[in-house]
Amino acid sequence: MTCAFSPTGQSVACGGLDSVCSIFNLNSPTDRDGNLNVSRMLSGHKGYVSSCQYVPGEDTHLITGSGDQTCVLWDITTGLRTSVFGGEFQSGHTADVLSISINGSNSKMFVSGSCDATARLWDTRVASRAVRTFHGHEGDVNSVKFFPDGNRFGTGSEDGTCRLFDIRTGHQLQVYNQQHSGDNEMAHVTSIAFSISGRLLIAGYTNGDCYVWDTLLAKVVLNLGSLQNSHEGRITCLGLSADGSALCTGSWDTNLKIWAFGGHRKVI
C-alpha cells in the first residue's frame, strides 16, 4: 500500500496489509531470482500500514500510519517503536490513518489524515496528544501533504475536495472543489502533491482526472485527464520529482505516466 526511499537512497521501506513495515537495503546482494531479502521488519501495528515516510535527513527513523488508528515513529536500527501517536490517547484519530506527511522545514512535526474526516498535527517530542485537529472535510482524508514553506498543508478527501490549512492558526485557507454535473457521480480525491514553489496543487481523482490547481486562486489550470493518452482508470497515486520538473501518476489502468512539468506534456 505504500513505499518510500530513504533520504540517501540506500534503502526502501514498504508496508501494506500484513501490518508490517519492511525495510530493504538496496546494497544487499539479491537471491538467485534477483530479489532483495528484507533487512528489517518493523512489527507492532495492529492494522494495515497505509503510509510510511523517512524522517528527512535520517535513514534510521521513519513514521508510519496505520489502519489501527495510530502513527508510529520507528528506530530502524533497533526495529523498535520510539513513539506511538494516537491509540489510547483521546486526541488521536478515531478511525484508520490513511496518509502522513512530515514537515520538510521542521522534521519534528508531521500531519496525518484519517477516515474520521480530520487531519491532525503531531509533534514527535509530545506523542501523548495531537497539537491540533483540523476539521472541514465531509469524508475520509485520503491524502495529506505539507506545503513547501512548512506553515501550511494540503488535504485530499473522499468528499471530492482538496483543502489548504494553516498549522499556526488552525484555519482553513482555501477549498479546491471541482465542478461536476448532477448526472455524474462526484469523483473522490486519492492523492495530492504541491509544486516546488507551492503555486500549484496537483490532485488525482477516482474518475481518472488529474487537476492542476492554482493554489492561490483555487482555479484549475489544467486537467491532465483531458489530454490525449491520459489514464483510463482511477488515479491512485502521484508524486513530483525532487527537482520539480516531472510529475508521475499511477492508475488502476496498470500504467505509470511521467509528465514534463514545463510544457505539461507526457514524456512516458
Side-chain angles (χ1 to χ4, degrees), residues 42-114:
L42 307 178
S43 303
H45 278 301
K46 296 182 176 66
Y48 61 88
V49 177
S50 61
S51 54
C52 66
Q53 184 183 350
Y54 280 86
V55 175
E58 297 185 36
D59 271 32
T60 56
H61 291 89
L62 66 75
I63 296 176
T64 53
S66 170
D68 65 11
Q69 306 181 10
T70 70
C71 303
V72 171
L73 173 64
W74 300 87
D75 183 327
I76 298 172
T77 305
T78 63
L80 300 177
R81 292 177 288 184
T82 300
S83 302
V84 179
F85 308 88
E88 70 273 20
F89 300 117
Q90 289 187 346
S91 64
H93 285 293
T94 58
D96 304 18
V97 176
L98 299 176
S99 180
I100 61 163
S101 179
I102 303 174
N103 191 332
S105 302
N106 177 3
S107 61
K108 300 296 184 186
M109 309 295 289
F110 74 95
V111 66
S112 56
S114 166

Side-chain angles (χ1 to χ4, degrees), residues 33-222:
D33 296 321
N35 296 319
L36 279 171
N37 292 315
V38 177
S39 60
R40 176 73 72 184
M41 296 183 71
L42 307 178
S43 303
H45 278 301
K46 296 182 176 66
Y48 61 88
V49 177
S50 61
S51 54
C52 66
Q53 184 183 350
Y54 280 86
V55 175
E58 297 185 36
D59 271 32
T60 56
H61 291 89
L62 66 75
I63 296 176
T64 53
S66 170
D68 65 11
Q69 306 181 10
T70 70
C71 303
V72 171
L73 173 64
W74 300 87
D75 183 327
I76 298 172
T77 305
T78 63
L80 300 177
R81 292 177 288 184
T82 300
S83 302
V84 179
F85 308 88
E88 70 273 20
F89 300 117
Q90 289 187 346
S91 64
H93 285 293
T94 58
D96 304 18
V97 176
L98 299 176
S99 180
I100 61 163
S101 179
I102 303 174
N103 191 332
S105 302
N106 177 3
S107 61
K108 300 296 184 186
M109 309 295 289
F110 74 95
V111 66
S112 56
S114 166
C115 289
D116 63 13
T118 71
R120 294 175 200 242
L121 178 68
W122 302 90
D123 185 329
T124 58
R125 296 160 295 191
V126 189
S128 60
R129 60 180 176 82
V131 176
R132 198 183 292 273
T133 300
F134 300 83
H135 299 275
H137 281 295
E138 298 175 0
D140 301 357
V141 179
N142 293 324
S143 184
V144 293
K145 190 70 68 174
F146 260 103
F147 195 77
D149 68 3
N151 293 322
R152 292 164 280 181
F153 70 91
T155 55
S157 170
E158 203 78 4
D159 65 13
T161 71
C162 299
R163 295 166 193 258
L164 185 67
F165 294 94
D166 189 309
I167 66 170
R168 298 161 298 184
T169 65
H171 293 159
Q172 177 179 290
L173 303 175
Q174 192 61 273
V175 180
Y176 309 89
N177 192 4
Q178 87 277 30
Q179 300 297 316
H180 63 279
S181 63
D183 298 335
N184 297 333
E185 186 177 344
M186 178 185 64
H188 313 303
V189 183
T190 60
S191 185
I192 65 168
F194 287 104
S195 63
I196 294 293
S197 67
R199 183 63 193 269
L200 301 175
L201 166 66
I202 305 101
Y205 295 82
T206 50
N207 64 354
D209 283 337
C210 185
Y211 285 159
V212 180
W213 294 91
D214 184 303
T215 308
L216 292 173
L217 302 178
K219 294 185 182 299
V220 176
V221 176
L222 179 71

